[in-house]
Structure formats: structure tokens, C-alpha cells
Amino acid sequence: STTEKPILLNNIADAEAFISSAEVAVIGFFQDPQSPEAEQFRLAAGQIPEVPFGLSSSAAVLSHYGASANTVALFRRVDNDRRDMDMNNRDVDAKKLTRFVRMNELRLVTEYDPVTAIGVMQSSLEFNLLLITDKMSPKHPERMRKFRAAAELYKGKILFILLDSNLKSNERVLSYFQLKKSQLPALAIFHTPDDEHDVLTPDEISIERVQDLCNRFLQ
């Protein structure tokens, strides 16, 4: 598509509106929007169509966000966090930038895989709730809808994670929670500092069941 990407952010109000309009937003702070670093930033933006990229060369915007020139910042709503990458380092290119975004783009519901695992481990949220399920199941879209609705209620408190039971790399998670595939779908809530966890194998996923498990565990 020929949509304008990244979006130019000329003032603080533009930047704030841009960040608050998405689950994950990326801004490149460049004094010179035509620099080689900004060019690599544009290339990365083209490779990740589902994440909004903004670019600002406004001194007021850079100062407001405490960003030095040639810095890329990723803002995420799920844990109100920000991750920065310094583009002044000569070996930072579009490929490294794309990986940086992929690693850190935690969402209301983050699908767990070897790349997102890094961002999940580094999240400031100490509570993780996993929905362990078969993504190929005809019931999957409805389960996800309910899981997402529940995730909205615990934004900033619990990181909601989708774990596809079909992926070979996820089998050790099932064994960690002592789950068999015949018991799925399952909900597993986890407190990262001390490995304290609780597992629920409901017949079906509902917002009420998710809330009940979360509230009980948080207490």
C-alpha cells in the first residue's frame, strides 16, 4: 500500500494522540528526517505494517519525551512502558530495528513465541495469565474475544498471553503446568518473582471464569 508511513508528528499534541491511539506505537526522533538513520527507520516501518510508526524532528517533541536525536522509542499501553533504541550506533539497521519492535511489542493479548518471549520476560508486570489452547479449534475466535475482553479489565496489572498448543516449542510449557492436550483449553496464572501459579481447566472460557481466577490469585 502507498499509505504515508511513518506519520509526521509536528507537535506534542500530535505525538500524544498518536501514542494513545494504539496498543503499540513507535516514534523515531530525528533532528534530520533525511539522515541515513531515518532512512533505515522508514525501511523498518514498511516491514511492520500492523504497528503504527511516527517520525518527529520537532525540538519541542524531542524535549517533551526526553529523547536524544536518532532515538527510536516504542510505547506500549499494556504495561504503560517505553523501550528506547539508540540509532547513533552505526550497526543499527532496519533489520535490527524490526527485531527490536517485534521483541517488545507486547499487546493486550500477546501471542507467545521465541521472539515475543524476550519482551514477555522483560515486562514490568509480575503477573502473567496464559490461555493455553489450540488455535486451529473452531471455538478459537470466540475464546479469544472473551480473553481479550477480560484483558481490558486487568490492563497494567496482568499480562495476558496466548499460547498455541500446536507449536512444538510450547510443549515444555504444558509439561511445566502438568497439563495434557486432552485437558485444554486451560488458563494458567503465574507470579514471576516466585513461580507461584494456579491452573484452571474450564469446559469453556468465559470472562467471569477469567475474572474469578485472576481475582482469587491476586488476593
Side-chain angles (χ1 to χ4, degrees):
S1 84
T2 53
T3 49
E4 277 302 304
K5 204 172 173 192
I7 294 162
L8 288 178
L9 306 169
N10 298 315
N11 52 52
I12 295 165
D14 281 358
E16 285 179 339
F18 177 77
I19 292 164
S20 62
S21 69
E23 280 194 52
V24 178
V26 177
I27 298 182
F29 299 100
F30 299 102
Q31 260 169 344
D32 174 10
Q34 304 310 322
S35 66
E37 293 84 3
E39 203 38 58
Q40 291 299 313
F41 179 73
R42 286 190 184 86
L43 284 173
Q47 286 165 17
I48 314 177
E50 68 280 18
V51 176
F53 276 63
L55 188 151
S56 188
S57 50
S58 148
V61 174
L62 267 75
S63 158
H64 180 74
Y65 288 101
S68 51
N70 296 339
T71 298
V72 173
L74 178 143
F75 299 85
R76 55 190 193 206
R77 228 170 63 197
V78 65
D79 55 0
N80 231 338
D81 206 357
R82 165 181 164 177
R83 297 286 153 120
D84 286 12
M85 189 179 208
D86 183 1
M87 296 277 299
N88 286 308
N89 188 335
R90 284 280 159 227
D91 66 351
V92 173
D93 57 9
K95 192 176 173 190
K96 287 202 171 129
L97 195 52
T98 303
R99 184 170 165 74
F100 165 76
V101 174
R102 286 285 180 231
M103 254 167 47
N104 290 292
E105 58 164 339
L106 297 185
R107 298 170 177 275
L108 274 178
V109 175
T110 299
E111 184 164 353
Y112 188 86
D113 63 36
V115 178
T116 59
I118 300 164
V120 167
M121 304 292 181
Q122 292 175 347
S123 166
S124 56
L125 298 182
E126 294 186 342
F127 294 96
N128 294 347
L129 178 69
L130 281 65
L131 168 59
I132 306 168
T133 187
D134 173 3
K135 268 180 78 180
M136 307 307 285
S137 160
K139 293 182 175 176
H140 180 68
E142 183 57 17
R143 279 177 194 150
M144 272 304 286
R145 191 185 66 73
K146 289 173 179 164
F147 195 59
R148 272 190 70 86
E152 281 279 3
L153 306 172
Y154 295 95
K155 207 161 48 197
K157 286 194 194 131
I158 301 175
L159 188 61
F160 277 55
I161 299 164
L162 168 68
L163 199 101
D164 184 7
S165 58
N166 295 312
L167 284 185
K168 197 133 187 67
S169 56
N170 287 338
E171 280 175 4
R172 56 194 184 84
V173 179
L174 265 77
S175 62
Y176 176 81
F177 290 114
Q178 297 176 338
L179 286 165
K180 298 186 186 74
K181 283 196 172 180
S182 58
Q183 294 172 289
L184 302 181
L187 292 165
I189 193 162
F190 191 88
H191 185 232
T192 47
D194 58 11
D195 287 358
E196 185 76 34
H197 61 270
D198 195 3
V199 179
L200 188 68
T201 51
D203 314 325
E204 220 23 83
I205 302 299
S206 71
I207 299 170
E208 294 72 29
R209 282 217 177 87
V210 173
Q211 277 185 277
D212 186 49
L213 175 66
C214 290
N215 293 345
R216 220 176 45 230
F217 192 78
L218 289 172
Q219 276 164 6

